[in-house]
């Protein structure tokens, strides 16, 4: 049987259906004098197989004399001594690059040895990782398809993930070095070669109630662990002090950073974000980093220094690029593209001199108010599951990867916890082979982490969880189907599988999704019934109608729907805290904040307008005149009615935004730099059901259409009455109330100049000049303040009415 080599990719062969090669009684054989990382690869193989099979493979540096099944590991050059027993030397072939390996089953010496020949030490580690992903492991059994052969090397040289031991994360801060080593192994199995750590001082609290050790010992321990596996160590180090033009500030920072550098056993690169956090002018920042690079090289002479233009406004970005082009710093190793960079990755690559490589720093952990928000996400999910939810997004992440990675040398992802575990493994695998099939990566994930019998079913379940988030939730009946499929897996699962935190995370999401949909359907129905009662107010009396409508709305909390599913979510939340220290609640598990993954605390967030309606009911009851009360009720009932010839858009509602100009969309613009997207803001959170809110928000104010940076937000109307006069009513919602916004019609007709959004949030109205609609068409464009830095948000519109005035006077 021959060897197959494929440059930069892989080939699996066998010539027809492959029989299983029984490795249950195999021995692991390796050359003497392996390096430390190579010995770690051997240990990883033996221990990870033992965990899944209860079989302990013996290891030896001596070729076994019997016909026992053999797994041979080592660097290619060191395996030459066993060439006769292996049936010949493994060829180098076109996949002979760094970190590559050849893996094959050979017919030799009366047996079928499985050979993993690394091009270098890392090649041995990654070859073992690939073998682990292909093995079929069950208690008492380990098999591999006979005829497996493969030669491969990674496409991208940098394949990493940020793992921050800090309070802001929702699990990492509770991990000891034993947990960290296991996770480092898990990442290496899927091809990760770099981990980015975080120093003791960052934009975070100095300590956490979950810390098993202070930050510095963990940082040192993780650096040492990574070195033992031969993996690169990066350090994300924000420059947060207020004035790096002050020599005293610089001197203090040199001492602080230098002490961290000194204590780390291994450090290959430092990445300093330009912002988020930090706020230092580029020229000053680069002068400071030139000095920090010298300090870095005192302890790690070959370590690199990288920087990003995150959060820069247009003027600072121009200054940054001008410095790189005019006087390129020799100490700078490269530029990082991350969240809050005003321009796209292709634009950054074109603007940065070619001598500087680009590293990607993609946010794979957040779902809204982030670099790559979930497209077309329903507000019900956004309000309950939140920004940092368990988020397997295999198809979205693969699209982002394939669109943007070609402009870079690789990536180290931005992560805030284990919620994005599937995404990490997917990025690692695609970093090795960008053409790998997403479904096959998920099957390998499921087989290795959950169990051989779950290979396809769990993989399909992960795809279904992503599909749960596609489009409006109310009509999305497949959400319950997804839960039913996971319940089938749950009923058949062994106790060991039920204790598996990755299995628990998927179950948690499936139950949470389905409970949220049931509650949305129930609460939407309650509001519809309450509105019907209010419509009868002229006959039954205003106060009686308000009281009856209130009793209906209050059933949302007095008569819960799908209570058993809700209870199971809480049980799984407790299980996840016990298994992986996931902090899904502030009061229960001391999560640092609700928006840091603690979505048990928002599981019952109202999914209809009852908070706002009950507040309005109280205001109406205080009115002395029945006529005024009835008028106020009519306003509530007819809130979205634009009147004859008018139009209404709830611009954050996926089912009610017919006039929104969407732009290219997420398939080609996943960061929405040139497209409209749906954003969210909760307003005032009410934690207790009987707490009386003030200035409660309508559900339509908790979502909005928005654009980022200087991209205008647009709506377009067709077939208007060219003889009519129109008036505009608009609600400026969003999470940036201090950002100003202006409105232009048809590209040149000003409707209002830059103004601060009204607060408290409420509708405001503007007359439209007749010339704006005289052609029967109308385009409205909102613009934020130009050139701002930061997150780029602010151009945000929640509700919009185009009202046709009956008499042409400008008043509807």
């Amino acid at each position: 049987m021959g060897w197959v080599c494929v440059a930069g990719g892989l080939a699996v062969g066998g010539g027809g259906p492959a029989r299983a090669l029984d490795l249950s009684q195999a021995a692991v054989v390796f050359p003497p004098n392996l390096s430390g990382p190579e010995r770690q690869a051997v240990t990883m193989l033996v221990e990870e197989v033992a965990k899944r099979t209860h079989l302990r493979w013996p290891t030896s540096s001596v070729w076994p004399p019997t016909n026992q099944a053999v797994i041979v590991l080592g660097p290619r050059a060191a395996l030459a001594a066993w060439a006769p027993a292996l049936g010949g030397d493994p060829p180098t072939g076109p996949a002979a690059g760094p970190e590559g390996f050849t893996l094959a089953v050979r017919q030799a010496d009366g047996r079928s040895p499985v050979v993993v020949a690394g091009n270098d030490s890392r090649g041995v580690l990654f070859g073992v990782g690939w073998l682990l992903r292909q093995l079929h492991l069950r208690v008492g059994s380990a098999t591999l398809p006979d005829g497996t052969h493969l030669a491969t090397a990674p496409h991208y040289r940098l394949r990493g993930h940020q793992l921050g031991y800090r309070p802001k994360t929702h699990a990492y801060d509770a991990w000891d070095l034993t947990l960290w080593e296991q996770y480092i192994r898990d990442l290496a199995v899927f091809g990760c070669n770099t981990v980015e750590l975080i120093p003791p001082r960052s934009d975070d609290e100095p300590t956490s109630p979950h810390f098993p050790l202070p930050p510095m010992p963990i940082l040192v321990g993780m650096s040492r662990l990574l070195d033992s596996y031969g993996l690169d160590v990066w350090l994300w180090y924000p420059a947060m002090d207020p004035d790096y033009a002050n020599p005293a500030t610089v001197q203090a920072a040199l001492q602080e950073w230098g002490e961290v550098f000194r204590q780390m056993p291994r450090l290959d690169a430092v990445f300093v974000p330009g912002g988020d956090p930090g706020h230092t002018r580029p020229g000053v920042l680069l002068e400071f980093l030139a000095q920090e690079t010298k300090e870095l090289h005192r302890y790690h002479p070959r370590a690199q220094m990288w920087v990003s233009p995150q959060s820069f406004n247009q003027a600072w970005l121009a200054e940054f690029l001008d410095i790189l082009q005019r006087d390129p710093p020799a100490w700078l190793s490269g530029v990082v593209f991350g969240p809050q960079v005003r321009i796209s990755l292709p634009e950054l690559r074109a603007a940065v001199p070619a001598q500087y490589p680009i590293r990607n720093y993609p946010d794979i952990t957040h779902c809204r108010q982030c670099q790559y928000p979930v497209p077309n996400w329903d507000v019900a999910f956004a309000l309950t599951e939140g920004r940092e939810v368990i988020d397997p997004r295999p198809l979205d992440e693969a699209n982002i990867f394939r669109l943007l990675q070609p402009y870079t040398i690789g990536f180290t992802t931005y992560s805030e916890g284990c919620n994005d575990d599937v995404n990490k493994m997917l990025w690692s695998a695609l970093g090795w082979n960008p053409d790998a099939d997403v479904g096959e990566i998920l099957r390998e994930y499921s087989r290795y982490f959950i169990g051989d019998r779950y290979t396809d079913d769990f993989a399909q379940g992960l795809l279904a969880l992503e599909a749960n988030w596609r489009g409006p939730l109310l009509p999305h009946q497949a959400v319950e189907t997804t839960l039913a499929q996971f319940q089938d897996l749950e009923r058949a699962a062994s106790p060991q599988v039920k204790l598996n935190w990755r299995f628990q995370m998927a179950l948690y999401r499936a139950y949470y999704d389905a409970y949220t949909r049931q509650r949305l359907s129930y609460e939407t129905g309650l509001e519809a019934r309450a509105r019907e009662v209010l419509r009868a107010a002229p006959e039954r009396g205003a106060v009686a109608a308000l009281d009856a409508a209130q009793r209906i709305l209050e059933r949302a909390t007095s008569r819960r729907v799908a209570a058993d599913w809700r209870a199971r979510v809480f049980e799984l939340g407790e299980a996840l805290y016990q298994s992986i220290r996931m902090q899904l609640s502030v009061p229960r598990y001391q999560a640092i904040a609700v928006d840091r993954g603690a979505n048990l605390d928002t599981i019952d967030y109202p999914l209809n307008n009852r908070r706002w309606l009950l507040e309005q009911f109280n205001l109406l009851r205080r009115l002395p005149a029945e006529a005024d009360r009835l008028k106020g009720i009519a306003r509530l009932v007819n809130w979205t009615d634009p009147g004859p010839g008018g139009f209404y858009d709830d611009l954050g509602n996926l089912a009610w935004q017919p006039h929104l100009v969407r732009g290219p969309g997420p398939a080609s613009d996943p960061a929405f730099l040139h497209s409209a997207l749906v954003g969210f803001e909760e307003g005032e959170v009410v934690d207790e059901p009987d707490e009386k809110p003030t200035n409660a928000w309508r559900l339509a104010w908790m979502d909005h259409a928005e654009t980022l940076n200087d991209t205008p937000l647009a709506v377009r109307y067709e077939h208007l009455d060219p003889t009519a006069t129109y008036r505009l009513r608009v609600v400026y919602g969003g999470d940036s109330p201090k950002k100003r916004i202006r409105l232009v019609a048809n590209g040149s007709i000003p409707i209002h100049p830059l103004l601060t959004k009204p607060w408290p949030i409420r509708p405001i109205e503007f007359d439209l000049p007749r010339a704006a609609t005289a052609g029967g068409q109308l385009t409205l464009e909102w613009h934020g303040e130009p050139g701002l830095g930061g997150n780029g948000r602010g151009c945000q519109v929640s509700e919009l009415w185009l009202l046709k005035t009956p008499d042409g006077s400008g008043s509807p």
Side-chain angles (χ1 to χ4, degrees):
M1 185 173 297
W3 302 83
V4 177
C5 299
V6 179
L10 57 83
V12 178
R19 65 183 177 87
L21 179 64
D22 188 358
L23 298 173
S24 303
Q25 303 303 317
V28 178
V29 183
F30 50 87
N33 303 317
L34 289 183
S35 68
E38 291 160 1
R39 287 188 175 273
Q40 282 282 40
V42 174
T43 301
M44 181 174 79
L45 174 63
V46 172
E47 291 184 352
E48 295 304 322
V49 168
K51 290 173 186 175
R52 292 159 174 81
T53 65
H54 301 173
L55 300 170
R56 186 77 184 188
W57 285 343
T59 62
S60 176
S61 294
V62 178
W63 190 264
T66 67
N67 286 334
Q68 180 182 16
V70 175
I71 300 171
V72 185
L73 307 177
R76 186 183 307 278
L79 295 181
W82 288 335
L86 297 176
D89 289 327
T92 55
E99 304 186 5
F101 61 89
T102 302
L103 185 150
V105 179
R106 298 296 299 268
Q107 295 295 335
D109 193 26
R111 57 183 127 195
S112 300
V114 177
V115 182
V116 179
N119 298 346
D120 49 28
S121 291
R122 282 188 183 171
V124 177
L125 177 69
F126 296 133
V128 165
W130 195 86
L131 176 61
L132 284 168
R133 286 153 57 189
Q134 308 311 310
L135 285 168
H136 295 262
L137 303 174
R138 300 192 181 197
V139 173
S141 172
T143 62
L144 181 72
D146 192 6
T148 298
H149 52 267
L150 166 79
T152 180
H155 186 91
Y156 290 100
R157 71 178 195 243
L158 176 63
R159 306 175 306 282
H161 305 283
Q162 186 181 92
L163 305 179
Y165 182 76
R166 57 174 178 163
K168 191 175 291 183
T169 64
H170 55 253
Y172 292 160
D173 57 336
W175 289 10
D176 58 18
L177 289 173
T178 300
L179 265 175
W180 280 120
E181 180 171 13
Q182 183 61 61
Y183 203 58
I184 288 166
R185 278 188 180 183
D186 293 348
L187 292 171
V189 164
F190 277 78
C192 168
N193 69 356
T194 299
V195 169
E196 186 165 74
L197 306 176
I198 290 179
R201 186 167 77 96
S202 67
D203 60 329
D204 221 323
E205 298 297 326
T207 189
S208 162
H210 301 281
F211 277 173
L213 286 173
M216 198 65 215
I218 291 289
L219 179 67
V220 171
M222 289 181 70
S223 174
R224 184 174 291 114
L225 272 174
L226 290 160
D227 187 47
S228 75
Y229 283 86
L231 302 178
D232 282 352
V233 178
W234 283 52
L235 188 64
W236 176 85
Y237 217 132
M240 301 184 301
D241 293 323
D243 184 10
Y244 289 100
N246 185 330
T249 301
V250 172
Q251 187 59 39
L254 291 173
Q255 287 185 310
E256 176 192 346
W257 293 31
E259 181 58 20
V260 173
F261 300 156
R262 183 189 68 80
Q263 294 190 51
M264 293 183 69
R266 177 169 184 162
L267 183 55
D268 297 281
V270 174
F271 159 39
V272 179
D276 190 29
H279 190 72
T280 298
R281 193 179 183 99
V284 175
L285 178 64
L286 293 176
E287 288 181 10
F288 163 65
L289 294 184
Q291 297 181 66
E292 280 291 9
T293 303
K294 295 177 182 177
E295 187 71 15
L296 173 65
H297 288 166
R298 287 180 59 194
Y299 307 104
H300 303 279
R302 301 178 63 184
Q304 300 178 346
M305 181 68 76
W306 293 62
V307 70
S308 74
Q310 290 173 260
S311 301
F312 286 176
N313 60 27
Q314 184 57 48
W316 282 20
L317 179 62
E319 178 183 326
F320 174 75
L321 295 173
D322 179 66
I323 293 172
L324 298 192
Q325 294 161 358
R326 176 176 41 81
D327 187 18
W331 54 264
L332 181 63
S333 300
V335 175
V336 176
F337 176 82
Q340 300 190 16
V341 174
R342 286 181 51 85
I343 57 178
S344 69
L345 178 48
E347 291 169 328
L348 183 69
R349 176 63 283 177
V352 169
Q355 72 191 73
Y356 296 116
I358 303 290
R359 180 203 118 178
N360 202 1
Y361 178 46
D363 181 354
I364 65 169
T365 203
H366 296 119
C367 292
R368 63 180 177 92
Q369 291 157 308
C370 61
Q371 185 181 22
Y372 301 114
V374 174
N376 300 321
W377 213 25
D378 194 282
V379 65
F381 283 140
L383 295 177
T384 56
E385 296 185 340
R387 182 172 182 255
E388 212 164 278
V389 60
I390 295 163
D391 67 336
R393 296 176 59 191
L395 299 180
D396 281 351
E397 297 295 341
N399 179 55
I400 294 164
F401 181 99
R402 288 167 175 155
L403 279 173
L404 299 177
Q405 277 309 121
Y407 299 94
T408 75
I409 62 156
F411 60 86
T412 298
T413 69
Y414 169 30
S415 169
E416 294 281 20
C418 53
N419 66 305
D420 55 21
D421 181 69
V422 171
N423 303 337
K424 288 194 194 80
M425 304 305 164
L426 182 89
W427 273 79
S428 297
L430 291 175
W432 191 284
N433 177 16
D435 298 322
D437 178 72
V438 170
E440 185 57 31
I441 295 171
L442 295 180
R443 283 188 284 273
E444 291 178 0
Y445 178 97
S446 303
R447 178 167 55 238
Y448 183 64
F449 289 125
I450 310 300
D452 187 45
R453 62 175 293 187
Y454 298 93
T455 298
D456 189 70
D457 293 347
F458 193 80
Q460 293 297 331
L462 295 174
L463 289 168
L465 289 177
E466 183 176 28
N468 279 2
W469 284 355
R470 299 290 197 223
L473 178 57
L474 195 59
H476 198 352
Q477 298 181 12
V479 171
E480 277 86 353
T481 302
T482 300
L483 175 60
Q485 292 171 327
F486 273 104
Q487 287 174 321
D488 289 341
L489 296 178
E490 183 181 19
R491 281 188 288 269
S494 68
Q496 185 179 13
V497 169
K498 289 179 179 177
L499 291 171
N500 184 318
W501 62 269
R502 291 180 168 98
F503 189 74
Q504 292 167 352
M505 285 207 308
L507 282 180
Y508 182 94
R509 257 290 310 281
Y511 276 102
Y512 202 128
D513 287 4
Y515 172 67
T516 300
R517 182 175 181 272
Q518 285 288 307
R519 199 163 60 84
L520 175 63
S521 177
Y522 178 55
E523 295 186 14
T524 301
L526 291 178
E527 182 171 337
R529 291 172 59 188
R531 288 183 182 278
E532 287 305 311
V533 169
L534 292 176
R535 291 184 192 279
E539 293 78 32
R540 63 191 303 174
V543 173
L546 291 170
D547 292 346
Q550 180 163 338
R551 288 193 294 270
I552 293 172
L553 292 172
E554 288 174 343
R555 292 176 193 169
T557 53
S558 64
R559 303 179 189 178
R560 294 198 187 279
V561 67
D564 55 337
W565 293 355
R566 181 182 184 275
R568 187 63 181 134
V569 172
F570 278 84
E571 291 171 354
L572 288 163
E574 174 66 23
L576 281 163
Y577 181 70
Q578 297 298 332
S579 62
I580 200 63
R581 298 296 182 262
M582 202 168 188
Q583 301 140 33
L584 293 163
S585 168
V586 173
R588 289 169 180 260
Y589 308 117
Q590 295 189 60
I592 194 169
V594 170
D595 65 350
R596 290 292 175 180
N599 58 24
L600 282 177
D601 298 342
T602 51
I603 193 170
D604 294 317
Y605 199 101
L607 299 181
N608 61 16
N609 286 301
R610 68 177 180 272
R611 286 176 50 207
W612 179 77
L613 285 170
L614 294 180
E615 183 176 278
Q616 298 300 310
F617 290 0
N618 289 334
L619 295 174
L620 292 176
R621 289 188 183 101
R622 298 173 194 164
L623 296 177
E626 177 73 357
D628 290 337
R629 290 193 291 268
L630 291 174
K631 183 178 178 181
I633 290 174
R635 174 175 171 269
L636 298 181
V637 169
N638 300 311
W639 183 270
T640 60
D641 181 4
F647 304 89
Y648 171 79
D649 287 70
D650 178 353
L651 286 173
N653 186 327
L654 302 173
W656 214 345
Q657 44 182 211
H659 300 99
L660 179 65
V661 178
R662 297 177 179 273
S668 61
D669 183 24
F672 293 89
L673 293 177
H674 306 290
S675 307
L677 71 149
V678 172
F680 308 97
E681 172 61 20
E682 293 90 341
E684 182 181 345
V685 176
V686 176
D687 295 320
E688 300 298 330
D690 57 353
E691 185 178 339
K692 303 303 181 185
T694 58
N695 188 35
W697 284 21
R698 284 175 44 79
L699 201 61
W701 299 351
M702 299 182 200
D703 55 30
H704 51 265
E706 67 179 330
T707 48
L708 302 176
N709 300 315
D710 297 339
T711 299
L713 177 68
V715 297
R716 181 165 176 80
Y717 299 89
E718 306 277 355
H719 312 299
L720 299 179
D721 181 351
T723 67
T725 300
Y726 291 88
R727 186 170 176 81
L728 193 70
R729 180 184 299 153
V730 60
V731 174
Y732 290 139
D735 63 351
S736 306
K738 296 181 180 179
K739 300 280 184 70
R740 296 189 298 164
I741 192 169
R742 68 181 177 91
L743 175 58
V744 176
N746 299 336
S748 60
I749 302 174
I751 304 303
H752 69 71
L754 280 172
L755 58 80
T756 301
K757 301 173 186 177
W759 192 263
I761 188 171
R762 61 186 182 275
I764 53 176
E765 297 191 4
F766 303 94
D767 289 323
L768 292 180
R770 189 182 290 268
T773 56
Q777 298 176 335
L778 173 66
T779 298
L780 297 173
E781 284 189 347
W782 286 268
H783 299 259
E785 298 177 69
L788 295 182
N791 60 33
R793 298 194 295 270
C795 193
Q796 301 164 325
V797 182
S798 290
E799 288 187 287
L800 184 65
W801 296 257
L802 185 63
L803 307 171
K804 184 179 180 181
T805 60
D807 57 2
S809 65
S811 300

